[in-house]
Amino acid sequence: MTPDHDQAEENSPQIGPLALEQPLWPRTMPEPHEVDRLFAQVFALVGEGIAGATHALLAGDRDAAKELVKRDEVIDKLIGQISTTVQHQLVNGETSPNERREFVAILRMLPDMERNGDLAEHIARRAARGLGAEMSARSRGLVERMGEVATTIWRETADAFAERSADAASSIDDLDDELDDLHVTLTAELVASTMPLPVAIELAMVARFYERFGDHAVNLARRMSALVVGGPEPVSSGAD
């Protein structure tokens, strides 16, 4: 995953152990039916990442932020395992047309999964630098809400994948619209505020990361909808 070049207390959400004591990716080629299990692990890690990064940023929890940055490597390896397994099955496995269609769709979903892992890590990096302590009160409230919406949109996207649901795309679109509006509002706050320019620039990047996180979730939901009901490959929402 590309590095970011842009440059807690008791009630804090815990960065769960999620079997960090043991490898999350097997050394041998997993069976095709294990792809969903690996996907579920990625969804869980990215969800923990965006929620944890938001909390670390606002609470000034630099240790938690640094731990989340390390977690990004695990996401990379899991996504690589999914990609290798699916490609191996497409080339060497005995698959039906429907199975091949699903495998191709999964390969097309992986970049959005990977990118959202990146975005959560980018926010965590800024939390590790202590950005939260320099934010205005209003900007903190807006970031808190963006984190809540991003966490919700990711949970609904994960549910849509697990259930192979074609109905989630509409509600995820609505949540993404809220993230877009919050991005605009936070940008306006940065222009009007008296925060130091370097802080405002970093916070503008954070706002952009949340906005793009929503776009990638929309892409995933639309691809799942197209897979379930049929139809043309959806156009990606925006570009990084």
Side-chain angles (χ1 to χ4, degrees), residues 24-119:
L24 289 179
W25 51 95
R27 294 174 182 268
T28 57
M29 181 75 67
E31 295 296 322
H33 68 267
E34 292 185 325
V35 167
D36 274 13
R37 177 181 61 80
L38 296 174
F39 245 102
Q41 289 182 333
V42 174
F43 270 117
L45 283 167
V46 175
E48 285 183 4
I50 194 66
T54 302
H55 174 81
L57 179 64
L58 297 174
D61 191 341
R62 296 191 181 193
D63 290 337
K66 291 173 183 176
E67 195 62 36
L68 287 165
V69 170
K70 294 178 185 177
R71 185 75 66 86
D72 186 53
E73 182 181 348
V74 180
I75 295 172
D76 289 349
K77 291 182 178 179
L78 284 170
I79 288 176
Q81 190 69 45
I82 294 169
S83 177
T84 300
T85 302
V86 170
Q87 290 184 65
H88 181 270
Q89 190 66 14
L90 281 170
V91 173
N92 302 303
E94 296 182 3
T95 56
S96 68
N98 284 340
E99 288 172 330
R100 288 194 294 274
R101 188 165 174 266
E102 178 162 339
F103 283 145
V104 169
I106 284 173
L107 288 176
R108 289 172 172 166
M109 292 176 190
L110 292 180
D112 289 304
M113 298 280 287
E114 183 179 23
R115 188 58 184 146
N116 270 5
D118 278 339
L119 294 169

Side-chain angles (χ1 to χ4, degrees), residues 153 156 168-180 214 218-219 221-222 237:
I153 203 174
E156 292 196 9
S170 177
S171 63
I172 290 172
D173 266 325
D174 290 340
L175 287 167
D176 183 55
D177 287 342
E178 183 178 354
L179 269 181
D180 291 342
V218 167
N219 290 344
R222 289 176 179 173
S237 176

